[in-house]
Amino acid sequence: MIAATPVMATYPRLPVAFVRGEGAWLWDASGRRYLDAVSGIAVCSLGHAHPAIAAALAEQARTLVHTSNLYRITLQEQLAARLTALAGMDGAFFCNSGAEANEAAMKIARLHGHACRIAEPQIIVMDGSFHGRTLATLSATGNRKVQAGFEPLVQGFLRVPYGDTGALAHVASTRRDVAALLLEPLQGEGGVIVPPEGYLSAARELCDRHGWLMICDEVQTGMCRTGRWFACQHWGVLPDVMTLAKSLGNGVPIGACLARGVAAQMFQPGSHGSTFGGNPLACRAALAVIEVMEAENLARRAADLGALLFDGLRERLAHLACVRALRGRGLMVGVELDRPCEGLVSRALTDEAVLINVTSGNVVRLLPPLICTTTQIELLAEALGRVIRDWIG
Ligand SMILES: *Cc1c(COP(=O)(O)O)cnc(C)c1O
């Protein structure tokens, strides 16, 4: 039975509500404890109720929560300095979500296009991509289900298959109106897709040769999730624009659009803005997140735990006929099955008290907190092995 609630029905919610968390554990009101391998969809990378984040937030709440971007904000300037140094960028714009970070990136791309005297600048986007739910970001997204019902879509996107260098080269040889290329270094919602070796650097070269801005959507993959600070670093690629959100505030809403070179010069006073973006509370949270990630070397930890999880899953799942592929980087792991498997989520919840996610219909996606213990990772691999084996019968 569906409980009546005035909350709009945008999500098909599981019948559980959590009241408390600690690290990778969550508790419901009855006291049942769950292992969280979703992290609020790659948001709570430091786990729940992290003491350093809680202390920073409480102190900032007692000091100053919000002023306005009409004034200088010291914590915002500090955060911009930390992030640009980590990412090899020159400037930062702050907002409140991944979609907004991508909106900023796309506005930079259009300004760049017009600066290059392109009348209607186009942005190359990918099949299977996900960039958010605002009208422009859902138009850029490569998933018809996200777009259906919201036509007319925003114009100005050219779609190509993900991972296909030839398709990019074809656009380069046939179009003169491209301003930018937008892609996820690994696709998240699209099913944890790792691009073929050499793809990102080939994309970088084409961007250089044709004056396109390379925009990496690192909203899900950034901030140590894949075993590097940013996933594009696995392939030694430096984009012109990088978007971040999800784990940047460990649950406090904050997004960032970072840019370098000409891309960092596009916004001028009046070109873009956000009332809440980069307020003292959100920036304090993000600064505390970076501090913990650096002090505890969580990029390295994500790589190590990812290898452990991968081995644990391979041992338990690789021999099953229903398992098509096991892939990912660091603690962003996908198990592709040969059939739709959304039902596994409630099975894992009820039978194992483990939170997992299914994306793209048939891919189990695991995004555990980066602060997991090795015991928790082993527990996760065991539980998932059991759930999948039971489910296929
Ligand atoms: C989640 C996600 C977004 C959208 O972020 P919101 O904060 O939900 O707007 C954009 N891009 C990628 C790659 C994502 O995973």
Side-chain angles (χ1 to χ4, degrees), residues 97-100 102 130-132 184 189 217 219-220 245-246:
S97 67
E100 281 177 83
N102 286 330
F130 182 80
H131 299 295
E184 297 155 88
E189 305 304 305
D217 179 345
V219 167
Q220 186 163 154
K246 292 207 162 91

Side-chain angles (χ1 to χ4, degrees), residues 57-109:
L57 283 175
E59 191 194 54
Q60 194 59 43
R62 283 192 296 265
T63 308
L64 191 64
V65 169
H66 179 86
T67 52
S68 166
N69 287 306
L70 295 171
Y71 316 106
R72 288 185 68 166
I73 299 173
T74 307
L75 287 163
Q76 188 181 123
E77 293 175 17
Q78 288 172 0
L79 179 59
R82 298 290 278 113
L83 281 176
T84 51
L86 283 168
M89 296 281 145
D90 297 322
F93 168 81
F94 294 103
C95 48
N96 315 286
S97 67
E100 281 177 83
N102 286 330
E103 289 272 350
M106 293 188 284
K107 285 178 79 171
I108 288 173

Side-chain angles (χ1 to χ4, degrees), residues 188-233:
E189 305 304 305
V192 191
I193 311 289
V194 185
E197 230 24 73
Y199 177 65
L200 283 190
S201 41
R204 177 68 270 181
E205 268 169 43
L206 282 167
C207 286
D208 288 337
R209 193 169 329 137
H210 299 282
W212 307 340
L213 296 181
M214 183 177 191
I215 307 171
C216 280
D217 179 345
E218 294 250 14
V219 167
Q220 186 163 154
T221 51
M223 305 306 289
C224 302
R225 171 56 54 188
T226 69
R228 299 284 181 113
W229 273 98
F230 309 104
C232 56
Q233 295 170 337

Side-chain angles (χ1 to χ4, degrees), residues 27 36 119 142 146 182 187 198 203 255 294 359:
W27 284 267
D36 183 2
V146 169
L182 166 62
Q187 289 188 333
E294 204 156 57
T359 188

